[in-house]
């Protein structure tokens, strides 16, 4: 076992090459080397509910209970961007299929699409995000996932339904019913043909 956080861990995510693992709790972000099983980065953080590695594995993005999105540069070991993401908790976050941005969903009943950009900070180009589109839905958003073919975005809502949208336009496609309780877990198969949900 690894010596981990002093408080409950709220999110875990492997890097795309499986060499690192990111974990968050109420006040810190830890980066682990999966081969040595040692913590290689320990960074102060807000209450992180979700985290993921940006393409290239040099940045980690954290979605927080406070509604903020934080971007950390693992080369310089610093937070390089903090932006207000949602009014309330951000319960879910995923990469866009083509790796050009992220999707977030939160307690404010909004789904937001963010695009990656490069911004000059202290004469150095740094990764940042800008809001591209926001869609209001009828209840809090607990989970979001994009299909690998880039056609669909699915969102699990607090009212126990699954809403599916066309990703390019974010126009509503259909609602899936079947859960008696909200689905906190959701994924789409690699061939984009099967959606799995769990409550």
């Amino acid at each position: 076992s690894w010596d981990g956080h002093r408080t409950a861990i709220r999110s875990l995510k492997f890097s795309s090459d499986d060499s690192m693992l990111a974990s968050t709790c109420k006040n810190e972000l830890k980066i682990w080397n999966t081969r040595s099983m040692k913590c290689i980065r320990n960074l102060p953080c807000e209450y992180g509910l979700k985290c993921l590695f940006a393409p290239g594995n040099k940045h980690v993005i954290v979605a927080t209970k406070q509604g903020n999105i934080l971007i950390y540069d693992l080369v310089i070991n610093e937070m390089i961007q903090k932006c207000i993401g949602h009014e309330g908790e951000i319960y879910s976050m995923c990469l866009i299929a083509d790796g050009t941005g992220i999707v977030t969903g939160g307690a404010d009943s909004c789904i937001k699409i963010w695009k990656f950009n490069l911004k000059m900070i202290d004469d150095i180009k740094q990764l940042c995000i800008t809001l591209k589109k926001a869609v209001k839905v009828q209840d809090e958003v607990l989970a979001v996932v994009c299909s690998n073919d880039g056609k669909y975005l699915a969102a699990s809502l607090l009212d126990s339904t699954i809403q599916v949208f066309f990703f390019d336009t974010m126009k509503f496609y259909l609602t899936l019913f079947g859960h008696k309780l909200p689905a906190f877990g959701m994924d789409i198969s690699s061939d984009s043909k099967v959606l799995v949900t769990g409550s």
Side-chain angles (χ1 to χ4, degrees), residues 158-182:
L158 187 61
D159 64 5
S160 303
T161 65
I162 310 297
Q163 303 265 307
V164 182
F165 301 85
F166 293 107
F167 181 77
D168 56 350
T169 61
M170 282 304 292
K171 287 186 177 179
F172 174 75
Y173 175 40
L174 56 84
T175 299
L176 302 175
F177 301 92
H179 286 283
K180 293 182 179 179
L181 295 171

Side-chain angles (χ1 to χ4, degrees), residues 109 111 135-146 152-167 170-177 179 183 186 188 195 197:
S109 304
I111 301 167
V135 175
K136 191 80 172 177
V137 292
Q138 72 262 22
D139 213 333
E140 297 183 22
V141 182
L142 305 180
V144 291
V145 64
C146 296
Y152 304 108
L153 185 151
S156 172
L157 306 186
L158 187 61
D159 64 5
S160 303
T161 65
I162 310 297
Q163 303 265 307
V164 182
F165 301 85
F166 293 107
F167 181 77
M170 282 304 292
K171 287 186 177 179
F172 174 75
Y173 175 40
L174 56 84
T175 299
L176 302 175
F177 301 92
H179 286 283
M186 183 168 60
I188 296 177
L195 171 66
T197 59

Side-chain angles (χ1 to χ4, degrees), residues 9-183:
I9 296 171
R10 293 304 305 265
S11 68
L12 294 167
K13 195 70 174 182
F14 282 104
S15 59
S16 61
D17 61 2
D18 295 329
S19 66
M20 293 180 287
L21 175 71
S23 59
T24 65
C25 67
K26 74 174 185 179
N27 59 5
E28 62 184 350
L29 163 68
K30 286 181 180 285
I31 308 297
W32 306 84
N33 182 298
T34 56
R35 293 177 180 85
S36 68
M37 296 189 289
K38 293 185 181 298
C39 179
I40 56 174
R41 302 283 189 279
N42 190 356
L43 300 164
C45 185
E46 294 179 3
Y47 201 133
L49 298 181
K50 291 292 177 182
C51 65
L52 56 80
F53 286 85
N57 299 321
K58 293 181 179 180
H59 299 84
V60 170
I61 305 170
V62 179
T64 74
K65 185 176 183 179
Q66 292 86 346
N68 297 316
I69 301 172
L70 316 177
I71 300 181
Y72 289 85
D73 186 322
L74 299 183
V75 176
I76 62 174
N77 298 327
E78 290 181 5
M79 182 175 65
I80 56 173
Q81 185 183 15
K82 174 181 178 179
C83 67
I84 299 172
H86 291 260
E87 296 178 5
E89 296 92 336
I90 302 176
Y91 292 126
S92 187
M93 176 173 62
C94 70
L95 278 173
I96 294 173
D98 61 6
T100 59
I102 60 173
V103 178
T104 57
D108 57 359
S109 304
C110 276
I111 301 167
K112 295 187 176 184
I113 299 173
W114 308 81
K115 299 297 283 187
F116 291 137
N117 293 290
L118 291 176
K119 180 181 178 182
M120 293 299 293
I121 302 175
D122 296 329
D123 297 324
I124 300 173
K125 285 186 178 180
Q126 289 282 13
L127 183 73
C128 65
I129 56 170
T130 54
L131 181 63
K132 181 184 177 183
K133 193 174 293 186
V135 175
K136 191 80 172 177
V137 292
Q138 72 262 22
D139 213 333
E140 297 183 22
V141 182
L142 305 180
V144 291
V145 64
C146 296
S147 62
N148 280 347
D149 61 9
K151 291 183 178 179
Y152 304 108
L153 185 151
S156 172
L157 306 186
L158 187 61
D159 64 5
S160 303
T161 65
I162 310 297
Q163 303 265 307
V164 182
F165 301 85
F166 293 107
F167 181 77
D168 56 350
T169 61
M170 282 304 292
K171 287 186 177 179
F172 174 75
Y173 175 40
L174 56 84
T175 299
L176 302 175
F177 301 92
H179 286 283
K180 293 182 179 179
L181 295 171

